[in-house]
Amino acid sequence: QVQLVESGGGLVQAGGSLRLSCAASGRIFSVQDMGWYRQAPGKQRELVAITPSTGITNYADSVKGRFTISRDNAKRTVYLQMNSLKPEDTAVYYCNAKITNRELRTNEYWGQGTQVTVSS
C-alpha cells in the first residue's frame, strides 16, 4: 500500500504565502516524478508544478516566479512554496507522484487534496 499525505493548506490574504507538503509512505521501492495539481470550482484539474527525480522542474505559466517546488528524496516528500498568492490561486491542491512499489510495479498516486483559499 502506498499513500500520499498532504498538509499545509488554509486561508490566506492576497499577497500572502503558504507552504504545502506531501509525504509518500508505504511499500515504496522508488519515487520518480512528484508534482502538484489544482482544481478550482467548475474547472478542470491543472498542473501547477512538477519535479522529476532528476532533471528540470516545470511550472504552469500562471505560477512562474511565485511558486517553488522542491523535494526531499530522503523523506520522500515534495513541497510547494506559494508566495504572492492571488485570489485566482484558490483551489483544491493535489499532490501527485509516480512511484514504483516493492513489487516493482509503477503507478501514479494522488493525495487527498488540501484546500487553499486566497481572500482579496
Side-chain angles (χ1 to χ4, degrees), residues 20-91:
L20 306 182
S21 300
C22 172
S25 64
R27 295 180 53 81
I28 296 172
F29 177 77
S30 66
V31 181
Q32 292 85 55
D33 296 354
M34 300 188 84
W36 292 93
Y37 289 72
R38 67 185 181 186
Q39 188 167 18
K43 295 187 176 181
Q44 289 188 333
R45 191 173 297 189
E46 63 176 1
L47 174 68
V48 176
I50 188 167
T51 177
S53 53
T54 58
I56 300 172
T57 59
N58 284 301
Y59 295 91
D61 288 343
S62 59
V63 307
K64 282 180 181 177
R66 300 187 298 122
F67 291 10
T68 302
I69 189 171
S70 62
R71 63 191 285 172
D72 183 331
N73 289 326
K75 295 182 179 179
R76 295 170 175 165
T77 299
V78 63
Y79 305 95
L80 186 68
Q81 178 66 44
M82 305 184 292
N83 299 328
S84 303
L85 282 160
K86 304 175 181 180
E88 50 263 44
D89 295 317
T90 295

